Amino acid sequence: EIVSRDWSSDVCSSDLLILVSDGDDNSSRYTPGELKTVLQESEVLIYSVGMFDGRDPVGTNPGLMRGIAEDVATTQRLVLLAHPILADLARALGAATGLGIRDGNRVRHLAQVDAKDPATVRDWTGELAALDATAPGIVLLAGRPDGRPSHARSDEGGTTTIAAPVQGPRGEVVATVFARGVSGRFPADEREAAVAAEIVRAAERIARDLAGS
């Protein structure tokens, strides 16, 4: 049985979950997709221990268990690499910064670093938004090597968001970095180009760190 549990939002990244199983799924409460989402949001490290056949497809048992561990590890590595860069960006811009990835036809917000400004925006971590509704989704949706925008802007619900794509080793867009603030205050009209350039540079830093990790 694939063991799963509900993890609170305050689980720290040092927590560890070890899966010991032959990979046979006996009526688990959660689907594999739901389990991956819960584990990715919790930042729990996953190790799987079991009897694996090297020829087994990832989508079937026991490859399913191995696939969960690998997918979650990839996302967590991205968050860990991005977090100090997001913190630097938040300090430089005085706005909330975040990281998102594509999740089907939506963008999932993986992490957010808030600015010290009291007039900040709410925490979007763990939330989903349509790809074509906000700037993070727009840069993911247009994530093609031959037509990728350097950045995108969106205005929604009293907030303004500017996002840039994070490239993978083959030039594909693997994530998005964004900054979000109160509309009318972020960004200042005369600074929008400079703010966008800072976000693009942060995305490039994450891409370089990801390639070198």
Side-chain angles (χ1 to χ4, degrees):
E1 181 178 0
I2 298 175
V3 180
S4 62
R5 54 166 285 192
D6 291 328
W7 296 92
S8 63
S9 59
D10 60 351
V11 174
C12 68
S13 60
S14 61
D15 283 347
L16 175 69
L17 179 64
I18 300 177
L19 303 177
V20 182
S21 174
D22 61 1
D24 189 16
D25 186 356
N26 298 316
S27 302
S28 293
R29 176 181 175 185
Y30 299 112
T31 67
E34 291 171 336
L35 182 58
K36 287 181 183 180
T37 296
V38 170
L39 293 172
Q40 286 169 347
E41 292 175 2
S42 71
E43 299 184 2
V44 174
L45 296 175
I46 311 297
Y47 289 89
S48 59
V49 179
M51 298 175 290
F52 294 136
D53 184 340
R55 298 165 296 179
D56 177 58
V58 171
T60 61
N61 295 324
L64 175 62
M65 195 165 72
R66 181 174 56 228
I68 288 174
E70 290 174 350
D71 288 352
V72 172
T74 298
T75 301
Q76 291 174 347
R77 181 164 58 94
L78 178 60
V79 172
L80 290 173
L81 287 172
H83 195 273
I85 297 173
L86 294 178
D88 289 346
L89 186 63
R91 285 191 291 269
L93 300 182
T97 59
L99 179 76
I101 59 171
R102 184 166 185 167
D103 187 345
N105 60 354
R106 297 175 293 183
V107 55
R108 178 176 296 280
H109 296 77
L110 292 180
Q112 180 168 314
V113 175
D114 291 323
K116 292 183 178 180
D117 187 341
T120 188
V121 298
R122 66 182 178 85
D123 191 347
W124 282 65
T125 303
E127 296 194 25
L128 295 165
L131 283 174
D132 59 354
T134 63
I138 291 170
V139 296
L140 290 170
L141 189 62
R144 303 184 305 274
D146 60 343
R148 181 173 49 251
S150 62
H151 68 275
R153 171 179 171 157
S154 62
D155 298 274
E156 65 282 331
T159 63
T160 296
T161 306
I162 299 177
V166 177
Q167 295 184 42
R170 294 179 298 277
E172 76 282 18
V173 174
V174 296
T176 175
V177 172
F178 59 88
R180 180 173 281 141
V182 178
S183 297
R185 297 186 57 181
F186 173 82
D189 290 341
E190 68 278 6
R191 291 207 67 233
E192 181 166 349
V195 167
E198 288 275 2
I199 298 169
V200 170
R201 282 194 289 270
E204 291 172 346
R205 284 180 60 193
I206 294 173
R208 287 195 299 269
D209 289 352
L210 193 61
S213 65

